[in-house]
Amino acid sequence: MRSSLVTMNLRVLDHAALLVPQAADCAAVFARDKDRCHVCGFRVPGMMEIDHLKGHRKCGPEAMACICQFCHNLRHPLWAGARKRIVPVFAPDLTQEDLHRLAWVVLAWRDAGEAPVDVSGIRADIAARHDRLKEILGCIDAESLFEAAFSLRDMVGEKQAMETLMRVDQYLRFWPAEVMPGHENLLKGSRLSTWSLGGYKVIAQMAARAIREDTNPDFEKIRAAAASMAEQQG
């Protein structure tokens, strides 16, 4: 919440307008960073975005970095919250980067026939964490939460407001709406999507396929490891 209001509200279309003349620079950044997010470290080949490290103005590759869409949403949280792209959850035991890596895994395997992890169980746990946060804070969504945060200073003063927000920051995290139950009913702009001529284009299936092809897990090894763990516990 320390970023400028302009940055927090920056839209996908604004980013596109800024980067269109710098296609070669963007390609150089993706190649240099090997399609790996500089925040959470996850790779989604061909689906990454550009993060401006020193302000949103024309700059060279040295002031840009590769970033995944989930992490990029939180660079512009007011825009993402208004678009219903992010969902607040209670997760004091996880970092935001941990959650984003987990979210990409869930996205990759939620519609696959054979998954190395129980993604339905993860989604149920996240939904429960979302409900828990609603019980604590009474906020329905991220947009309401941000409105309350900005109003708090006027209500109780800057010092007490900052103390309260710091306490909340210890357990408040955000989960991409794309990997919540019922994601199919979200508007295009709220989903994992990109801006193209004619509006938003949902790219969730393409991203999932890119991750699966990039990781290519050894299911036999995973099943053997799970069986070994079960025997040890037994």
Side-chain angles (χ1 to χ4, degrees), residues 47-202:
M47 306 287 167
M48 304 301 284
E49 299 182 345
I50 293 291
D51 190 16
H52 291 82
L53 305 178
K54 298 180 180 180
H56 289 78
R57 59 183 67 88
K58 186 175 180 179
C59 56
E62 70 283 352
M64 301 176 180
C66 189
I67 191 170
C68 73
Q69 190 169 128
F70 292 163
C71 287
H72 207 181
N73 282 340
L74 293 189
R75 287 287 197 260
H76 313 290
L78 297 186
W79 174 82
R83 278 279 177 182
K84 312 298 182 189
R85 282 178 167 242
I86 52 177
V87 176
V89 297
F90 178 80
D93 53 327
L94 295 168
T95 67
Q96 187 61 62
E97 291 77 17
D98 287 338
L99 279 172
H100 281 167
R101 286 189 288 268
L102 190 59
W104 283 116
V105 171
V106 172
L107 174 75
W109 299 103
R110 69 181 176 193
D111 297 322
E114 189 175 16
V117 293
D118 179 13
V119 294
S120 61
I122 294 172
R123 295 176 83 189
D125 177 68
I126 292 297
R129 288 172 181 266
H130 176 51
D131 291 340
R132 175 61 177 148
L133 191 74
K134 286 196 292 186
E135 292 175 1
I136 296 172
L137 296 180
C139 282
I140 299 173
D141 54 31
E143 187 175 22
S144 302
L145 187 63
F146 294 142
E147 289 176 358
F150 280 109
S151 301
L152 192 60
R153 182 173 58 182
D154 295 332
M155 295 172 60
V156 301
E158 185 169 356
K159 183 176 184 296
Q160 189 173 343
M162 285 304 300
E163 290 175 352
T164 300
L165 292 174
M166 290 300 291
R167 288 197 297 271
V168 171
D169 188 61
Q170 295 178 21
Y171 59 79
L172 171 66
R173 306 287 183 267
F174 294 96
W175 181 258
E178 175 63 53
V179 279
M180 285 291 285
H183 66 277
E184 303 92 339
N185 299 320
L186 292 171
L187 297 175
K188 287 183 179 180
S190 302
R191 299 196 57 188
L192 184 68
S193 54
T194 188
W195 182 266
S196 59
L197 292 178
Y200 282 100
K201 175 183 178 182
V202 175

